[in-house]
Amino acid sequence: MNTAMDSSIIIKGIGAYTPDRVLTNSDLAHMVDTSDEWIQSRTGIKERRIAADNESCSDMATKAAEKAIKNAGLTAQDIDMIIVATITPDMPFPSTACLVQKQLGISPIPCFDVEAACSGFLYILDIASSMLKTGNYKNALIIGAEKLSSILDWEDRSTCVLFGDGAGAAVLSISDCANVGIIGTRLAANGNDAKILYMPGGGSTCPASVQSINDRQHYLKMLGKEVFKSAVKVMEQSTIDMLREYNLNADEISCFIPHQANIRIIESFSTRMKIPMERIPVNLDRYGNTSAASIPLALDEALNNNKIKNGDYVLMIAFGAGLTWASTLLKWHC
Ligand code: UT7
């Protein structure tokens, strides 16, 4: 007998949202001591989107979710679980997922957030898949959403030029077809590297105070070079491990979707793994690093640009604060 445990979990629908406001490198050059030339040559970023002051993480998440639900051919009432990956929730509690549920007008279902930074979308994809496999749920809404502009130090040129706002969502559903959809996900973290990318203030060890504000503790801090080195290493190793585990070689993967942090990280991955850049979609030039939203935004764009066809293998690879990293192998489907 076929049970939910044996069923395939597919991405039934996908949706993306980015705010209208564009912040270019030249705009940034008027704000801090930087230049379009430095930002483009060191990162590949040309511009990023910045949410409106009154636009929250849950607002962006809801807009992406509405598109994903429509794209799946479902209505909001068909959703029976919402998980949001974010490091910029509307507030510490309640979860952004609960606020999205309210905006979508969905009756009581499980809703919660997961904090795994830029790896967050692949973390929630694995959590939702496992929950679907219990047979207790049919359609899970997963969303990577970030308003990073709210935690950037706009006086720190080493970080404020790198990030942007946006949201990407997917509806995961059980499919009767065998061997399609999510083939496997591997999640990992190494807390020893917690302080190479973090925000010291605002939690229980450093609650907000006049001192914490004066010390600029409520902003993202990063040792860029350290993150860069780890990113190159874990992206390559995750890919090698995933290919070995499923007995595939890199040529059999039609599309690699890496976390969009820096074009030099992606190009280094391409060179070391001998994977042509044509098979690696890039959108960081237009959106910068959108953390948990980066992979679903890139996946949505790759599908819209017909870079993924039925039967194609797709490998998504993420890394971020924690440090966390993750990879997911998909076989695309109708
Ligand atoms: O999602 C995961 C999170 N993040 C990442 O994946 C980021 C990973 N790291 C990186 O992408 C790169 O390390 C950065 C883009 C952050 C920095 O690039 P880099 O080539 O490692 O530069 P650097 O930090 O070594 O800085 C080189 C120089 C320094 O000046 P000096 O000391 O050589 O005189 C910096 O002060 O560039 C200077 N600099 C800037 N100059 C102009 C740093 N930021 C800027 C800037 N504009 N925005």
Side-chain angles (χ1 to χ4, degrees):
M1 190 181 72
N2 196 25
T3 65
M5 212 60 199
D6 310 316
S7 308
S8 299
I9 308 293
I10 57 166
I11 295 182
K12 198 173 175 132
I14 183 138
Y17 172 80
T18 49
D20 291 337
R21 184 176 162 207
V22 176
L23 185 70
T24 65
N25 292 347
S26 309
D27 294 332
L28 278 163
H30 290 105
M31 297 161 62
V32 286
D33 181 15
T34 191
S35 65
D36 178 44
E37 195 283 317
W38 191 96
I39 303 171
Q40 280 207 49
S41 61
R42 299 291 179 122
T43 72
I45 299 167
K46 294 182 179 156
E47 58 187 41
R48 68 288 294 141
R49 299 299 178 98
I50 302 293
D53 290 347
N54 64 354
E55 190 171 36
S56 65
C57 179
S58 67
D59 292 337
M60 292 188 282
T62 302
K63 287 188 176 131
E66 284 167 341
K67 290 185 189 166
I69 293 167
K70 189 166 176 219
N71 183 243
L74 299 174
T75 70
Q77 298 314 321
D78 296 315
I79 299 300
D80 40 28
M81 166 201 326
I82 303 175
I83 315 179
V84 173
T86 186
I87 53 168
T88 48
D90 285 21
M91 52 194 90
F93 62 88
S95 71
T96 300
C98 288
L99 303 174
V100 171
Q101 177 202 18
K102 177 175 183 277
Q103 290 205 44
L104 291 174
I106 302 177
S107 43
I109 51 167
C111 298
F112 59 96
D113 290 358
V114 168
E115 207 269 63
C118 308
S119 310
F121 188 77
L122 299 188
Y123 266 65
I124 61 175
L125 185 137
D126 198 34
I127 294 165
S129 304
S130 306
M131 289 177 73
L132 288 170
K133 288 204 170 210
T134 63
N136 294 331
Y137 310 94
K138 287 200 176 72
N139 303 302
L141 174 61
I142 61 167
I143 312 165
E146 301 288 8
K147 187 173 176 176
L148 293 164
S149 58
S150 67
I151 59 162
L152 293 178
D153 183 343
W154 291 102
E155 292 180 13
D156 175 11
R157 67 176 185 174
S158 71
T159 52
C160 75
V161 304
L162 303 174
F163 298 91
D165 300 335
V171 175
L172 302 186
S173 304
I174 296 176
S175 160
D176 293 334
C177 305
N179 304 320
V180 292
I182 298 160
I183 306 293
T185 295
R186 293 293 165 264
L187 308 179
N190 177 8
N192 290 324
D193 285 336
K195 291 209 172 163
I196 66 174
L197 178 50
Y198 75 130
M199 189 169 85
S204 53
T205 56
C206 178
S209 65
V210 172
Q211 188 66 43
S212 72
I213 291 168
N214 288 340
D215 292 345
R216 308 186 82 75
Q217 299 291 292
H218 299 273
Y219 295 122
L220 176 154
K221 316 273 180 201
M222 180 169 72
L223 297 176
K225 267 197 192 318
E226 300 308 312
V227 178
F228 192 106
K229 280 187 266 174
S230 296
V232 168
K233 206 160 55 186
V234 299
M235 277 186 56
E236 186 177 340
Q237 198 55 53
S238 306
T239 302
I240 291 168
D241 292 347
M242 201 58 130
L243 293 175
R244 190 173 295 141
E245 183 169 350
Y246 290 95
N247 204 19
L248 292 165
N249 65 56
D251 293 341
E252 292 173 274
I253 309 292
S254 308
C255 189
F256 291 83
I257 304 205
H259 170 49
Q260 307 278 316
N262 186 322
I263 193 68
R264 291 189 291 135
I265 296 176
I266 295 175
E267 284 172 352
S268 154
F269 171 74
S270 157
T271 307
R272 291 162 73 107
M273 295 295 301
K274 300 188 175 54
I275 298 163
M277 282 300 286
E278 297 78 66
R279 282 195 276 140
I280 310 179
V282 171
N283 68 12
L284 61 81
D285 51 332
R286 285 156 290 132
Y287 301 128
N289 180 346
T290 55
S291 190
S294 135
I295 287 197
L297 283 176
L299 178 62
D300 177 76
E301 196 168 276
L303 285 161
N304 288 336
N305 292 340
N306 297 318
K307 293 208 163 151
I308 301 171
K309 300 182 293 302
N310 287 340
D312 281 355
Y313 280 112
V314 178
L315 185 59
M316 304 187 280
I317 318 126
F319 60 89
L323 285 185
T324 55
W325 60 99
S327 53
T328 297
L329 180 66
L330 290 175
K331 188 165 191 191
W332 202 257
H333 46 76
C334 319

